[in-house]
Amino acid sequence: DIQMTQSPSSLSASAGDRVTIICRASQSISTYLNWYQQKPGKAPKLLIYGGSNLQIGVPLRFSGSGFGTDFTLTINSLQREDFATYYCQQNYRTPLWTFGQGTKVDMK
Amino acid sequence: EVQLVESGGGWVQPGGSLRLSCAASGFTLSDYWMDWVRQTPGKGLEWVANVNQDGSEESYVDSVKGRFTISRDNTKNSLYLQMDSLRAEDTAVYYCARDCCPGDLDHWGQGTLVTVSS
């Protein structure tokens, strides 16, 4: 199985900050890496697919990068509505998907 | 508008069974893989199972193999998850999700809570 490890598990930030979340895969997954945002009591929402492609409607302050085993989600100029938990997910090993454990972004 | 609506959750004793349903609308179900993903209260996401467009291929996470069965009825625009021999550790919110490409879960339902407890 491909294991996904996110860091940090949580972080505190202020509106306007730049936030970076890291996701590491236990083996190379090319760019088969997605990012999801989840707010309390809500279903996850796909933000980025294929490592760096923004889903329709996602603000441009979100960006993703990486290849192989190391990936990054960056939020530029954090907005109030961005306080949430973020998950990475690999879709390299079809059709057995795995998620990272999540990174909670809360207000400093 | 794409909509996914889960139902069938509830409380069940260990060893019992439940059948979850997911009603799909706003798109052609037969064009997509479909998945079930669960979330333990206060914890992270765990992919559970998926099925291909015509139902001929199913996959499961190891922890539910032999106990859960995913199925679909494209004529009824519905996805199902039959859960047997339920354990306390199966307690979670279960989401159905549309699986594009595959592996990009681009639309999710609101979730249904399954509680396994004596």
Side-chain angles (χ1 to χ4, degrees), chain B residues 13-15 40 67 85-92 114-118:
Chain B
Q13 291 187 326
T40 307
R67 300 188 300 122
S85 302
L86 281 160
R87 306 167 180 168
E89 54 264 35
D90 297 318
T91 295
V114 172
T115 302
V116 184
S117 172
S118 55

Side-chain angles (χ1 to χ4, degrees), chain A residues 41-82:
Chain A
K42 300 293 187 181
K45 171 188 171 183
L46 179 63
L47 291 180
I48 290 173
Y49 62 94
S52 61
N53 303 294
L54 251 60
Q55 180 71 343
I56 295 170
V58 174
L60 294 177
R61 61 181 179 272
F62 290 91
S63 64
S65 65
F67 181 89
T69 60
D70 295 338
F71 299 87
T72 300
L73 172 69
T74 300
I75 311 172
N76 284 302
S77 189
L78 194 70
Q79 302 297 302
R80 180 179 299 272
E81 60 267 29
D82 301 334

